[in-house]
Amino acid sequence: MEEKWLTWAKEIQAIAQTGLTYAKDIYDIERYQALRELSVDILANYTYESKEKIRLAFAGDEGYCTPKVDIRGVIFQDNKILLVREKLDGNWALPGGWGDIGLSPSEVAVKEIAEESGYQAEAVRLLAVLDKKFHEHPPEPYHVYKFFILCRITGGEAAGGVETDGVGFFAENELPELSRERNTEKQIRTLFEFLKNPQKPVILD
C-alpha cells in the first residue's frame, strides 16, 4: 500500500483539478487553486523534486482528473520472460509505457515491444489490470493502472531502443535487478503463474 501522504496529495490534486474544470465562481476557483498548491507542497516536502517540476508534471493537467494507464507486454519463450534494460536506471523491466491516444491497449503493447526490444509481436490476451497503489512501487505523483498483456513473437530480433540498451529472456529463478518503478518482483513472479497455468483468469487490482 502506498504512503498516506502520497494518497492524500493525489486526492487533493484530483479534487483541485476537477474543481478548476467546472468552477465558475471566482472564490471557488481561488480555493481550488489553493488546494492544488497544497498538493504540490506535500509532494515537495516528501520528495527531492522542486515545486516547479512538480507543478509541470503533477499539477499542470486540465479537465476531469483520471488515472494514467501503463501498458506492459508479456512474452514467454523457453520458459523465460522477456525483459529490457532501461537506460534511465540501468535495471530491467517488461517492455511498455504510457497508453497512447489513438491506440488500443493491445496496439500499445505491440508498439512498445518493437521499440524497446526489437521484436515484432502480436497480442494474445489480457493477463492483469493492477492498481499501482496496491503494489510495492516507489512513490510517484500519479494514480496509475497497469495493464499486462500476453503477446507472442512474430518476427524481428533483439535490439535496444531509444529508452533501452539491453534485451534478454530470464528464468523465474534468475531475475535481474528490476526497475521497480515499472514492475516489481512479485508482479513478475505472478506473471509466471500464467505460463504454468494458461487458463488462469485475469487478475484485477
Side-chain angles (χ1 to χ4, degrees), residues 61-112:
D61 287 343
E62 297 178 349
Y64 189 86
C65 192
T66 62
K68 295 180 80 68
V69 177
D70 175 35
I71 297 172
R72 298 284 151 180
V74 181
I75 290 178
F76 293 109
Q77 183 171 279
D78 299 325
N79 294 318
K80 297 180 178 180
I81 197 166
L82 174 67
L83 299 175
V84 295
R85 186 169 57 208
E86 299 285 343
K87 290 181 180 179
L88 193 61
D89 61 12
N91 295 328
W92 295 77
L94 297 163
W98 296 125
D100 293 310
I101 301 297
L103 296 181
S104 71
S106 293
E107 290 172 330
V108 172
V110 168
K111 177 182 75 74
E112 292 289 339

Side-chain angles (χ1 to χ4, degrees), residues 87-157:
K87 290 181 180 179
L88 193 61
D89 61 12
N91 295 328
W92 295 77
L94 297 163
W98 296 125
D100 293 310
I101 301 297
L103 296 181
S104 71
S106 293
E107 290 172 330
V108 172
V110 168
K111 177 182 75 74
E112 292 289 339
I113 289 168
E115 291 177 351
E116 296 188 352
S117 76
Y119 290 112
Q120 302 300 311
E122 62 181 5
V124 177
R125 61 167 291 207
L126 178 67
L127 300 181
V129 179
L130 305 180
D131 189 319
K132 209 169 180 180
K133 71 179 181 181
F134 293 135
H135 300 266
E136 296 179 353
H137 295 279
E140 68 171 309
Y142 305 114
H143 190 154
V144 180
Y145 293 162
K146 296 181 65 65
F147 284 57
F148 295 85
I149 298 175
L150 180 66
C151 300
R152 67 166 62 95
I153 292 176
T154 59
E157 60 183 20

